[in-house]
Amino acid sequence: MADTQTLTPREAFEMLLAGNQRFVAGSPEHPNQDAARRTEVVWAQRPFAVLFGCSDSRLAAEIIFDRGLGDLFVVRTAGHVQGPEVLGSIEYGVSVLGAPLVVVLGHEACGAVAAARSAIEDGTAAGGYVRDVIERVTPSVLAARAAGRTEDADFIAEHIRHTVDLLLDRSRVLAGAVDTGRAAVVGLSYRLADGTARLVTARGLDDVLVGSGS
């Protein structure tokens, strides 16, 4: 099993993007998906990344990043909105499991962002706890509109940036790991049509060009 303690945040980031590039190219290697790996991770896990993404069924993390058992510690909610359980799960992945990378994964055609836009622009209301999800996405939509952004990709990117900022603002554990160089937090936007995961924002990685990616 690869020891995450020996991986830097940048190495973990590059490993993740390499897997996405294989997926996009149609040449996945399906690492760590055999019986030997299944046995290897029975008593311990040392994932190299915590992935906090949208619950959308089209974003299966181990598939789009071509990884296997024990590689990714995955936390998912609709619209990647966060509460105490999410923050605790991410902190666990970093402080207990030792993952050097946290990834916020948004995607184009996000239903939660679209619903928040409709609620603001048309007054369309949702019922039940769906309304709570929409309300948590609303600040991102308002910020994008205030900046004069009009494209769907702009709203998605703003929500990804907002999520990264919230994680670091709310979690002293995560912020401390980034400040000391033990971990990095990046925001990626996934394109459904071609499968690419493109960088939107990065905290704790030096010399990374935002807007780059697969």
Side-chain angles (χ1 to χ4, degrees), residues 171-205:
S171 172
R172 292 184 179 180
V173 170
L174 190 55
V178 172
D179 289 342
T180 58
R182 291 187 292 110
V185 182
V186 301
L188 301 179
S189 183
Y190 181 73
R191 294 183 178 180
L192 297 172
D194 61 20
T196 57
R198 301 180 67 85
L199 184 65
V200 173
T201 187
R203 307 281 288 275
L205 287 180

Side-chain angles (χ1 to χ4, degrees), residues 4-5 20-21 34-35 37 45-46 69 79 82 102 116 122 130 132 161 169 181 185 191 196 205-206 210:
T4 58
Q5 303 301 322
N20 180 244
Q21 290 167 358
D34 57 10
R37 178 63 168 184
Q45 59 170 322
R46 291 192 291 273
L69 299 173
Q82 55 186 281
V102 175
D122 307 325
V130 174
D132 182 67
R161 284 190 290 267
D169 287 344
V185 182
R191 294 183 178 180
T196 57
L205 287 180
D206 296 327
V210 173

Side-chain angles (χ1 to χ4, degrees), residues 10 12 14 20-21 58 60 63 70 72 76 84-85 94 111 113 119 139 147 151 157 167 169 171 176 178 188 202 206:
R10 173 177 287 280
E14 291 175 349
N20 180 244
Q21 290 167 358
R58 297 164 291 183
I63 294 177
L72 305 176
R76 300 175 68 181
E85 298 86 354
V94 173
V113 173
E151 300 297 324
L167 285 178
D169 287 344
S171 172
V178 172
L188 301 179
D206 296 327

Side-chain angles (χ1 to χ4, degrees), residues 18 34 41 58 73 78-79 92 154 184 207:
D34 57 10
V41 297
R58 297 164 291 183
F73 189 74
Y92 182 86
D154 296 329
D207 303 323

